[in-house]
Amino acid sequence: MAEQSILRVGIAGAGYFGRFHALKSFKAERENLIGIYDPVIGNAIKVGKEAGNVPYMPLDQLLQSCDALIIAAPAEFHYELALEAFEKGRHVLIEKPIASTLDQADHLIDLANSRGLVLQVGHLLRYSAEQKVIHERIKKPLYIETMRIAPFKPRGVDVSVILDLMIHDLDLVLAIVPSHIRKVDALGASVTSEFEDIANARVTFENGCVATIAASRISLKTERKMRIFSEEGYLSADFMENQLVMIGKEKGMPLPGTNGFRREVVKWKDHDNIEAEHHAFVKSCLDGIPVLVDGVAGRRALNAALAVIKSIKESRERMQVSGLLNSKTNSF
């Protein structure tokens, strides 16, 4: 593709995230949003009106006209939409998860690499201010705890809470821990949907690090927290308060009687993560900047999420065989 200063963008999917992507793309200096596709044409028209009267386009026409496709459709359609985009020579920003299976993810990665196209996966929190603060302080984590809970919303129930919410923290943990997964033990329950709505996973890495990750979309309140024990010290972050506390030896106020440890309190200002994600995507497409969250990162997060889902299934089967759980019960 010839060098250019503006990226012609199409969006596939006019739902919750598709609307956000459309509004950001419409306002972005180096993007020209040319059209929106959705099988429910009325949804595409409605979102298009909000984003500068951008028209609905059938998918074939959209792919003929754009340089890059943003895929914000339900997860089950990610693979086929990305496949069509790559076959037309278009760059792709795809919402998480990258695909439904590892084989699909591998195929998309191979296609992007062989055709010199950008494949960016929408693990949005990789672009957040909070992650920069954590990565600056933690290099060798030993134990990690994360909690992500939220009240029920109809959005996202086409997949389990693992692929809806937990995959964010799985990706963040994988970005911190420089090791492969050795073992996953998990439990989960479906409450309001046919998939798990609450889950807890214990992930053990080859290097010995352990992460405990909890996620729920049926809670009475919203909480997002992380605790990390590492060689550098102890870090506790509250993402709803935009604050972390680090107990270490490098920075902060001295703690008397602790053999040189200090207490550092860090606050950060949120920025627009979707805007940052778009900016990174454009830089990769037009300027050749390496992709921060590429297909390999997306596949790694998917692999971890599928391992959690598999472990939940195995745990449930063991409970049913032992009589601890009724075989007709679809919880835990």
Side-chain angles (χ1 to χ4, degrees):
M1 192 173 293
E3 288 189 9
Q4 59 192 80
S5 58
I6 299 294
L7 189 71
R8 295 173 298 172
V9 173
I11 295 176
Y16 182 80
F17 273 106
R19 175 178 175 271
F20 284 127
H21 281 296
L23 295 175
K24 299 304 175 187
S25 183
F26 170 63
K27 293 180 179 180
E29 290 184 3
R30 301 184 69 190
E31 293 182 44
N32 178 16
L33 179 59
I34 62 168
I36 301 173
Y37 163 74
D38 193 284
V40 181
I41 297 176
N43 290 347
I45 292 173
K46 180 180 178 181
V47 171
K49 286 182 178 178
E50 287 189 78
N53 291 315
V54 175
Y56 159 82
M57 285 189 186
L59 184 60
D60 285 345
Q61 181 183 349
L62 187 61
L63 289 174
Q64 289 291 341
S65 305
C66 71
D67 303 310
L69 184 70
I70 296 175
I71 300 173
E76 63 187 295
F77 301 112
H78 285 186
Y79 172 71
E80 61 184 61
L81 288 168
L83 192 62
E84 288 190 57
F86 285 144
E87 288 175 347
K88 292 290 194 303
R90 306 309 180 216
H91 302 295
V92 169
L93 167 56
I94 188 168
E95 273 298 334
K96 53 82 184 167
I98 182 175
S100 298
T101 70
L102 296 179
D103 285 343
Q104 290 178 350
D106 288 336
H107 191 203
L108 295 181
I109 292 167
D110 289 344
L111 277 176
N113 289 338
S114 65
R115 302 188 180 202
L117 298 169
V118 169
L119 170 56
Q120 180 173 314
V121 185
H123 289 284
L124 192 61
L125 293 182
R126 290 280 203 102
Y127 301 92
S128 64
E130 64 201 43
Q131 290 312 300
K132 183 176 184 295
V133 172
I134 291 173
H135 279 270
E136 287 175 347
R137 287 161 177 79
I138 301 297
K139 304 300 180 185
K140 292 184 177 181
L142 308 175
Y143 177 72
I144 303 171
E145 286 183 356
T146 74
M147 180 177 66
R148 181 185 298 266
I149 63 174
F152 177 76
K153 295 179 182 178
R155 172 189 67 81
V157 294
D158 58 316
V159 295
S160 70
V161 72
I162 296 97
L163 292 174
D164 180 26
L165 297 182
M166 184 183 279
I167 195 169
H168 285 296
D169 290 321
L170 286 168
D171 176 63
L172 296 179
V173 167
L174 292 170
I176 296 171
V177 181
S179 180
H180 294 293
I181 292 174
R182 183 175 70 84
K183 182 182 179 183
V184 174
D185 293 302
L187 289 172
S190 58
V191 180
T192 61
S193 71
E194 61 179 301
F195 302 104
E196 290 85 6
D197 296 303
I198 182 171
N200 183 283
R202 180 181 175 89
V203 181
T204 303
F205 291 88
E206 293 286 357
N207 69 355
C209 180
V210 174
T212 301
I213 304 171
S216 170
R217 59 187 179 195
I218 54 167
S219 300
L220 297 178
K221 59 182 179 180
T222 299
E223 286 189 29
R224 279 191 56 229
K225 294 182 178 180
M226 175 180 280
R227 296 199 305 161
I228 304 175
F229 299 85
S230 73
E231 280 198 350
E232 296 82 16
Y234 165 71
L235 182 149
S236 176
D238 187 328
F239 301 117
M240 303 305 295
E241 298 294 331
N242 289 0
Q243 176 176 294
L244 67 78
V245 176
M246 178 77 180
I247 307 297
K249 292 190 174 183
E250 297 296 325
K251 299 178 181 179
M253 297 294 292
L255 290 174
T258 60
N259 195 26
F261 280 92
R262 296 171 174 269
R263 182 177 185 270
E264 180 191 16
V265 178
V266 182
K267 288 183 173 290
W268 60 85
K269 290 184 178 180
D270 280 335
H271 58 234
D272 192 320
N273 294 341
I274 299 182
E275 184 177 294
E277 180 182 51
H278 273 248
H279 180 73
F281 183 55
V282 171
K283 294 280 287 182
S284 294
C285 293
L286 298 183
D287 304 331
I289 302 300
V291 182
L292 175 62
V293 189
D294 59 9
V296 173
R299 184 197 189 279
R300 195 175 178 215
L302 176 64
N303 181 49
L306 293 177
V308 171
I309 293 170
K310 180 183 178 183
S311 180
I312 290 174
K313 181 175 181 292
E314 292 171 347
S315 297
R316 183 180 297 125
E317 289 173 349
R318 286 195 298 271
M319 291 178 180
Q320 290 171 344
V321 169
S322 71
L324 182 62
L325 190 67
N326 189 305
S327 61
K328 295 182 180 180
T329 301
N330 189 33
S331 63
F332 288 100

